[in-house]
Amino acid sequence: EAQVTQNPRYLITVTGKKLTVTCSQNMNHEYMSWYRQDPGLGLRQIYYSMNVEVTDKGDVPEGYKVSRKEKRNFPLILESPSPNQTSLYFCASSGLGAYNEQFFGPGTRLTVL
Amino acid sequence: QKEVEQDPGPLSVPEGAIVSLNCTYSNSAFQYFMWYRQYSRKGPELLMYTYSSGNKEDGRFTAQVDKSSKYISLFIRDSQPSDSATYLCAMSAGYGGATNKLIFGTGTLLAVQP
């Protein structure tokens, strides 16, 4: 089954404790992206990657890091989480080209105390 | 001003009603217009997409794009309780690279009452 998976689905942590949210896709997509979803603000892009070892900032990259060492994986790293990073996070992937549907993962609900 | 504006609702309608959902946008570079549906505790899933202006129909769903007015709509005919979800409009300039980035509306929460 073609899908984007994320882990963990739910996470409660404390300020400053480094964490990683994993994202994996099995569709051989070049493009991967992380979004956060907040009430009243909708989905906003954090980082994206066009291929292995190629990453770039989205609209709200502060406090986040990503890496793309393999085509299928695109982890999101919060090195020192803060309460304002409490949010619902989605990973998405698509092919490149004129138009390609972005497929979303199931989401990770993160709470930073 | 946000690039994409969408009324957050909530919108409550009786089963069988025609639902109209709308978004406006400001960036004339947008070429691809999408509607995603998001059920509670799930990721968004693509419902329909349209390139440039015009209409597109898929079963009970019709998407309309008016680029001259920078206005897009999604119509749902004969709405069902299973249509209850948040509907997100999204847009992109397309053609790969950074233009794969989707700009989303804030979403409209729809409840269809049996």
Side-chain angles (χ1 to χ4, degrees):
Chain A
E1 180 191 355
Q3 60 182 349
V4 179
T5 56
Q6 295 179 228
N7 282 292
R9 294 289 314 278
Y10 302 90
L11 180 60
I12 300 174
T13 189
V14 296
T15 299
K17 186 176 181 182
K18 182 179 178 179
L19 66 93
T20 299
V21 183
T22 64
C23 172
S24 184
Q25 51 93 6
N26 62 2
M27 295 168 277
N28 200 37
H29 284 160
E30 294 87 357
Y31 185 91
M32 297 186 75
S33 181
W34 277 101
Y35 297 87
R36 60 178 289 174
Q37 187 175 35
D38 302 289
L41 297 175
L43 281 152
R44 294 177 294 166
Q45 190 182 54
I46 303 170
Y47 268 94
Y48 68 94
S49 169
M50 289 167 56
N51 217 322
V52 175
E53 302 292 2
V54 181
T55 64
D56 208 346
K57 297 177 181 179
D59 296 319
V60 288
E62 293 78 19
Y64 304 95
K65 284 177 59 176
V66 292
S67 69
R68 188 92 181 271
K69 292 182 169 46
E70 303 166 284
K71 197 173 185 179
R72 63 183 294 128
N73 296 324
F74 190 43
L76 179 70
I77 303 154
L78 285 73
E79 297 214 323
S80 184
S82 61
N84 65 11
Q85 292 178 299
T86 292
S87 187
L88 182 56
Y89 291 87
F90 289 100
C91 180
S93 73
S94 75
L96 292 177
Y99 171 74
N100 276 277
E101 177 183 350
Q102 287 198 24
F103 293 84
F104 283 79
T108 296
R109 183 165 293 281
L110 172 66
T111 302
V112 183
L113 302 174
Chain B
Q1 185 190 2
K2 293 179 182 175
E3 272 190 291
V4 179
E5 300 274 2
Q6 183 176 9
D7 186 338
L11 184 61
S12 182
V13 301
E15 184 175 353
I18 296 174
V19 176
S20 172
L21 304 167
N22 311 292
C23 289
T24 60
Y25 65 96
S26 57
N27 188 345
S28 57
F30 290 147
Q31 297 274 16
Y32 297 91
F33 303 90
M34 289 138 275
W35 287 94
Y36 279 80
R37 180 173 61 195
Q38 185 177 17
Y39 291 114
S40 181
R41 295 188 176 83
K42 300 283 189 182
E45 55 181 358
L46 183 68
L47 193 59
M48 297 187 72
Y49 98 91
T50 309
Y51 171 70
S52 195
S53 283
N55 293 0
K56 189 171 186 178
E57 188 173 320
D58 184 2
R60 296 185 295 111
F61 299 89
T62 300
Q64 288 185 352
V65 175
D66 181 350
K67 288 189 72 179
S68 62
S69 302
K70 295 189 175 67
Y71 188 87
I72 72 170
S73 301
L74 177 71
F75 297 94
I76 307 174
R77 290 183 299 281
D78 188 24
S79 56
Q80 302 295 309
S82 58
D83 295 329
S84 299
T86 297
Y87 289 81
L88 303 157
C89 63
M91 308 174 190
S92 78
Y95 244 93
T99 52
N100 268 50
K101 183 172 83 170
L102 298 179
I103 306 298
F104 284 88
T106 51
T108 299
L109 179 60
L110 172 66
V112 181
Q113 307 298 334

